[in-house]
Amino acid sequence: MKKKSLQSGFTLIELLVVIAIIAILAAILFPVFAKAREKARQISCASNERQLGLGIMQYVQDNDETFPAGNQGHSGAGWATNIFPYTKSAGLYHCPDDSNSGGIESYGINQNLTGGGDGTRKSSMTLAGLSAPTSTILLAETTQYSNSIPVPGTVPDEWYSPAINGLAWNGNNPGTPGAPVQNIESPANTNLAYGFAGGQTGGGQIGRHTDAANWLLSDGHVKYIRPTRVSIGYNALQSTNDQTTVAGTGNITTGSAAGTGFTGNSSITGAPFDITYSAI
């Protein structure tokens, strides 16, 4: 007599268990994948800054070791156009995490190196004149808003490469209400994309890359650090000076950054600071 073959299969309970396991794994892995993608964008941004730093260093060597003053007076604004012959790639000027620039530069040059570092317009500093290039900011992350946007892939427009020193004000900011807005020598509405730096408070602003940002230093290397470890403002009078700006609600309008040799500990958040906008 022929035996009947029994067909085996999943029961409803087993199927639900498998689905639950898949859902748990997805919940665990998706955030990991998202962090990995963000880390890749942060690394790409850091690579952009390194390449831009090489372009600036080549410009400096060809111009008596003087940093680019830019094309908008002697403020540094327009630096991107000056170094484009050395970089030859418009893509380097755009951070992959900057969704607002649309062809406008995602980085701002330190105004204290490129003229106007004491609140006035003057010629740029020289590389030999820096007290501590390893702790002096050269480029910082920005994002800009404008009704007039250059065509992506073209030569950087001199009007859209700002000079910054980290100081902020209560200016027009159509992108992120309450975020700091650069108020010097920046024709477009330029936001400091790294969040609130040392001495600034309010709004819970964080760096563009998770909770920190990339910073190109004046010796050409890039650091990934929290903005609270960064001193903002004009050049210090002496290398040992503390930051003289006053903490408010993210609206610091005047003052000097901590000197490159400042090792004290003040009441300002982040002191004695890892890096500074001051070249002194």
Side-chain angles (χ1 to χ4, degrees):
M1 189 174 175
K2 200 172 181 183
K3 286 188 180 178
K4 238 184 213 181
S5 63
L6 297 174
Q7 291 183 345
S8 61
F10 286 111
T11 65
L12 179 59
I13 293 177
E14 290 172 333
L15 186 60
L16 291 175
V17 169
V18 171
I19 293 173
I21 291 173
I22 293 173
I24 292 170
L25 289 174
I28 294 172
L29 293 176
F30 283 172
V32 174
F33 293 152
K35 286 183 179 179
R37 287 193 297 270
E38 167 51 35
K39 188 63 178 178
R41 291 192 291 269
Q42 181 253 314
I43 292 172
S44 177
C45 174
S47 176
N48 287 351
E49 288 192 2
R50 287 191 190 96
Q51 294 300 313
L52 292 173
L54 287 173
I56 294 173
M57 289 299 106
Q58 288 176 307
Y59 174 96
V60 167
Q61 294 304 321
D62 286 346
N63 290 272
D64 299 324
E65 292 199 340
T66 303
F67 287 96
N71 301 315
Q72 301 293 320
H74 296 289
S75 64
W79 60 271
T81 308
N82 284 6
I83 70 165
F84 189 76
Y86 301 95
T87 60
K88 294 182 169 43
S89 173
L92 292 178
Y93 298 85
H94 183 74
C95 171
D97 261 337
D98 186 3
S99 59
N100 294 314
S101 69
I104 303 173
E105 285 72 56
S106 301
Y107 309 101
I109 201 166
N110 184 358
Q111 188 198 34
N112 296 329
L113 299 179
T114 61
D118 58 356
T120 63
R121 291 178 176 235
K122 63 179 183 180
S123 59
S124 298
M125 291 192 68
T126 63
L127 185 61
L130 298 185
S131 299
T134 57
S135 58
T136 301
I137 294 167
L138 179 53
L139 292 182
E141 296 191 58
T142 63
T143 186
Q144 300 185 47
Y145 304 84
S146 174
N147 294 325
S148 175
I149 298 177
V151 178
T154 59
V155 175
D157 192 308
E158 68 177 65
W159 196 246
Y160 297 98
S161 51
I164 60 175
N165 61 16
L167 296 178
W169 70 307
N170 262 329
N172 178 33
N173 182 356
T176 309
V181 179
Q182 187 59 39
N183 69 335
I184 52 172
E185 308 304 344
S186 180
N189 294 310
T190 302
N191 296 339
L192 303 174
Y194 48 78
F196 287 99
Q200 290 176 307
T201 59
Q205 301 297 320
I206 60 175
R208 180 155 58 199
H209 304 293
T210 311
D211 57 352
N214 292 318
W215 310 79
L216 174 68
L217 285 306
S218 297
D219 66 342
H221 83 282
V222 175
K223 274 191 173 182
Y224 174 72
I225 60 175
R226 295 176 184 270
T228 52
R229 303 295 303 163
V230 179
S231 183
I232 60 175
Y234 294 110
N235 277 329
L237 296 178
Q238 297 181 18
S239 63
T240 55
N241 285 162
D242 188 5
Q243 180 172 307
T244 59
T245 49
V246 180
T249 56
N251 305 312
I252 298 174
T253 57
T254 187
S256 299
T260 53
F262 173 65
T263 57
N265 188 13
S266 71
S267 60
I268 298 176
T269 303
F273 307 110
D274 294 330
I275 56 177
T276 176
Y277 275 98
S278 175
I280 307 298

